[in-house]
Amino acid sequence: MTTTVLVTGATGGIGGHLLTALGDRDVTVRALVRDPARLARSGVEVARGDLRDPSAVAPALRGVDAVFLNSPSAPDAAATQIAVADAAAAAGVSRLVLLSQFAARADSPVRFLRWHAEVEQHVRDLGIGHVVLRPNLFLQGLLAFAPLVAATGRFGAPIGGAAVSAVDVRDIADAAAAVLTGAGPDGAVHDLTGPRAVTHPEIAAALTGATGHPVSFDDLTPQAFATALHGVLPPWQAAGLVEDYAHYARGEAARVDDAVVVLTGHPARTLEEFAHDHAAAFAPAG
Ligand SMILES: NC(=O)c1ccc[n+]([C@@H]2O[C@H](COP(=O)([O-])OP(=O)(O)OC[C@H]3O[C@@H](n4cnc5c(N)ncnc54)[C@H](OP(=O)(O)O)[C@@H]3O)[C@@H](O)[C@H]2O)c1
């Protein structure tokens, strides 16, 4: 019997790569999407609907064996994900794969880590078969700096010389594909990191090497970072990002884990590979 996997967040940064990774496996893939036109990929069953809409989620879960649960950070993210987890348990899903975050903790000063910890605890209490993936800072998150880097050759953040074991989202997707198709035991929590911890000056050096144009990093104060984000992000998201960066600056996200290689069978991608593959986004126009 072929396994059916439901992917949420299928048009997102992880989701797109996850559909590709699952395409190599003997599974039926269903994607829950708000706008099917955004799903460029064929060969995937499409369930149309909003994650916040129980009347769309329940039918999408029919006949599903494993679910990848991911949604963007938002003030209601924990409530949304908890409702989907409840629906998955009610539908008899055997394995729920929850996308959380490195260092998720109920008492964290970082709001995103508290939201993820709340969902993790709920899923544990539900008794459903589950696996938690806790990726560290996404290397692809650096793409948010790309227009600035391309225009000025500089980017800044409040992190000083602290190192972070940032991970490539392609490795998160590969690890998710493995656990959705049975890898590892139920109840496992996997920290997904890159192969080493990197500093932001090292990121600037990698972008310099990949683009052939000098890129430099400015260590900002948290206040200057918050000011730069003002009007660019909603206030809750800007404040959350400042909290994230304070956590990185304290050195709390530097540990390297071998879960990517254990789950996927290939080494975690390096900062240099990321910089090479995305050089065009960071290079000056023309
Ligand atoms: N950025 C980091 O460094 C980092 C590190 C660790 C963990 N995380 C976690 O990663 C998660 C985000 O993952 P990501 O970057 O892959 O997300 P993403 O690229 O922002 O994609 C979000 C996906 O969710 C879908 N979506 C949004 N609202 C929806 C709704 N109401 N109903 C149905 N679908 C909806 C979007 O679809 P549409 O096409 O409809 O918009 C999109 O496919 C967050 O939980 C974050 O905390 C991030």
Side-chain angles (χ1 to χ4, degrees):
M1 199 179 68
T2 310
T3 299
T4 299
V5 177
L6 179 70
V7 176
T8 66
T11 57
I14 299 169
H17 293 293
L18 178 56
L19 296 186
T20 303
L22 287 171
D24 295 337
R25 295 172 184 255
D26 183 24
V27 291
T28 299
V29 181
R30 188 179 299 161
L32 176 66
V33 290
R34 292 188 287 191
D35 177 6
R38 294 204 54 204
L39 197 67
R41 200 184 162 77
S42 59
V44 172
E45 283 181 18
V46 176
R48 184 185 195 131
D50 192 296
L51 273 175
R52 298 187 178 99
D53 175 6
S55 71
V57 171
L61 284 164
R62 230 167 264 147
V64 164
D65 304 287
V67 173
F68 179 67
L69 178 52
N70 183 27
S71 64
S73 296
D76 68 347
T80 301
Q81 294 195 353
I82 282 171
V84 177
D86 287 348
V93 165
S94 327
R95 174 166 279 195
L96 178 67
V97 175
L98 178 65
L99 198 285
S100 178
Q101 186 173 340
F102 188 89
R105 260 186 20 220
D107 63 349
S108 173
V110 183
R111 71 194 68 194
F112 302 143
L113 298 180
R114 292 196 302 274
W115 295 349
H116 282 300
E118 184 184 345
V119 185
E120 284 190 17
Q121 189 57 51
H122 185 85
V123 168
R124 276 190 282 275
D125 293 345
L126 260 184
I128 188 173
H130 69 277
V131 175
V132 175
L133 300 179
R134 287 183 178 172
N136 208 342
L137 172 67
F138 298 175
L139 282 171
Q140 278 75 359
L142 298 169
L143 289 166
F145 294 118
L148 185 66
V149 171
T152 67
R154 319 182 70 86
F155 69 107
I159 190 171
V164 181
S165 56
V167 62
D168 193 302
V169 299
R170 295 170 290 185
D171 290 330
I172 303 172
D174 289 347
V179 294
L180 283 163
T181 51
D186 277 334
V189 178
H190 300 291
D191 288 331
L192 303 180
T193 74
R196 71 183 182 94
V198 296
T199 65
H200 276 48
E202 287 170 337
I203 291 170
L207 294 175
T208 299
T211 61
H213 295 273
V215 177
S216 55
F217 169 70
D218 300 312
D219 183 28
L220 302 181
T221 64
Q223 291 73 16
F225 191 53
T227 301
L229 296 174
H230 185 74
V232 177
L233 297 177
W236 62 267
Q237 198 173 11
L241 205 53
V242 171
E243 292 165 5
D244 255 340
Y245 264 93
H247 156 69
Y248 303 143
R250 290 191 293 270
E252 295 168 358
R255 190 172 53 75
V256 171
D257 198 281
D258 65 358
V260 168
V261 67
V262 169
L263 292 172
T264 69
H266 66 67
R269 289 167 173 89
T270 63
L271 165 64
E272 288 71 24
E273 283 174 88
F274 165 81
H276 172 268
D277 294 347
H278 297 84
F282 292 95

